[in-house]
Amino acid sequence: MRKFIILGLLSLFGLYSLAAQHITIEIEGPETEYNQVRVVNGTSQENFRCRVVRLTTEGKQGETYGVYYLKEKGDSDSKTNWVYQGDRFMIDLPKDFPVEVSYTIEYKNLPLFDVVIIHLFDTNEFDD
């Protein structure tokens, strides 16, 4: 019985590790439409890319919105295309991404762009 409990816990940990590589977000800002999505690297990792995929109404992967190339901490990359309030997206991180990632979303109304800004950061950044 003990082996089954340990095996179960290990398999749950494995599923959590895989799930940590995908972040699902919903556009909930004050505007009904936005014309740019920007991703900001606030993680401790350098030189990686992530993919933002639009989800279908059923929650399955749809079209790729963009692939974002992020260098050092504070770097950002943006893609210009329409997104709408209520749209759902998945941020897909590399399979071997070494840290657990959290995010915040910011909405900005700039002169030429209504921007969705996704800030990525290390979940355990302050656990030292």
Side-chain angles (χ1 to χ4, degrees):
M1 181 68 171
R2 189 175 182 178
K3 288 182 183 179
F4 290 116
I5 293 172
I6 292 172
L7 184 61
L9 290 174
L10 288 175
S11 64
L12 284 176
F13 179 72
L15 289 174
Y16 178 75
S17 295
L18 288 175
Q21 302 305 315
H22 306 287
I23 300 168
T24 301
I25 64 167
E26 184 171 343
I27 306 302
E28 298 176 332
E31 304 292 332
T32 57
E33 56 189 29
Y34 295 87
N35 57 355
Q36 188 177 89
V37 174
R38 185 177 303 162
V39 178
V40 179
N41 181 15
T43 72
S44 59
Q45 303 304 300
E46 296 181 344
N47 298 313
F48 69 93
R49 61 188 183 143
C50 62
R51 180 175 65 147
V52 175
V53 177
R54 190 181 308 263
L55 297 176
T56 65
T57 54
E58 296 83 27
K60 298 183 182 199
Q61 289 188 22
E63 66 179 334
T64 297
Y65 183 85
V67 176
Y68 296 78
Y69 298 92
L70 301 167
K71 295 178 182 171
E72 67 246 353
K73 190 171 188 171
D75 189 29
S76 67
D77 191 6
S78 60
K79 306 295 179 212
T80 303
N81 201 349
W82 291 102
V83 298
Y84 303 94
Q85 189 179 57
D87 281 354
R88 292 182 30 209
F89 292 89
M90 180 183 71
I91 302 169
D92 193 13
L93 295 167
K95 289 180 184 178
D96 59 349
F97 205 70
V99 296
E100 186 179 334
V101 173
S102 297
Y103 70 95
T104 59
I105 299 178
E106 178 181 6
Y107 302 93
K108 280 198 173 180
N109 187 347
L110 302 174
L112 297 177
F113 298 103
D114 288 324
V115 186
V116 176
I117 305 171
I118 303 166
H119 298 270
L120 302 176
F121 55 93
D122 295 354
T123 298
N124 298 321
E125 181 177 8
F126 299 109
D127 286 352
D128 294 308

